[in-house]
Amino acid sequence: FEGHLVRKHEWENTTTKASNRSWDKVYCVLRGTQLSFYKDSKTAKSTPDQRFKGEGSLSLQRAVANVAQDYKKKKHVFRLKLESGGEFLLQAHDDSEMNTWISHINSH
Ligand code: I3P
């Protein structure tokens, strides 16, 4: 499963806020239990090792995605909580796309 989302890294782990908390447009690819971010769909397809800003993939083992009810600044935003304590906010185009992402992430 894959598609465009806008991403904000909130927490590095349970105690450290992410140093860069700006919103980035990213192309997201879910392969098994791994979530990878890319600059665009072309890069994801042609050179899947070339992830956004040289980042690693995220492990979704014991990760949970939920609607970000408390985040009011943008619509269609869900929160991804990783086992590491890392947290991301991810904005979809609409609620239906958001709910599709949430179920894919939670049903791996
Ligand atoms: C961040 C940027 C984000 C903002 C974040 C800022 O600054 O303005 O949009 O999050 O606020 O730190 P920069 O682009 O200079 O990194 P919101 O959109 O959620 O307000 P934060 O520090 O409160 O997370």
Side-chain angles (χ1 to χ4, degrees), residues 21-69:
R21 292 191 301 279
S22 32
W23 287 92
D24 290 307
K25 284 182 186 173
V26 287
Y27 190 76
C28 309
V29 181
L30 186 58
R31 299 182 187 94
T33 60
Q34 297 286 112
L35 181 64
S36 301
F37 301 107
Y38 296 94
K39 180 164 64 81
D40 51 34
S41 60
K42 192 167 154 262
T43 312
K45 211 176 180 109
S46 63
T47 47
D49 290 340
Q50 247 174 66
R51 288 178 292 271
F52 186 71
K53 293 183 176 172
E55 296 171 358
S57 298
L58 300 181
S59 165
L60 296 183
Q61 305 260 28
R62 285 166 293 276
V64 181
N66 284 117
V67 177
Q69 307 277 183

Side-chain angles (χ1 to χ4, degrees), residues 62-76:
R62 285 166 293 276
V64 181
N66 284 117
V67 177
Q69 307 277 183
D70 59 315
Y71 191 80
K72 312 281 187 196
K73 294 182 188 177
K74 291 177 189 285
K75 287 180 175 178
H76 327 305

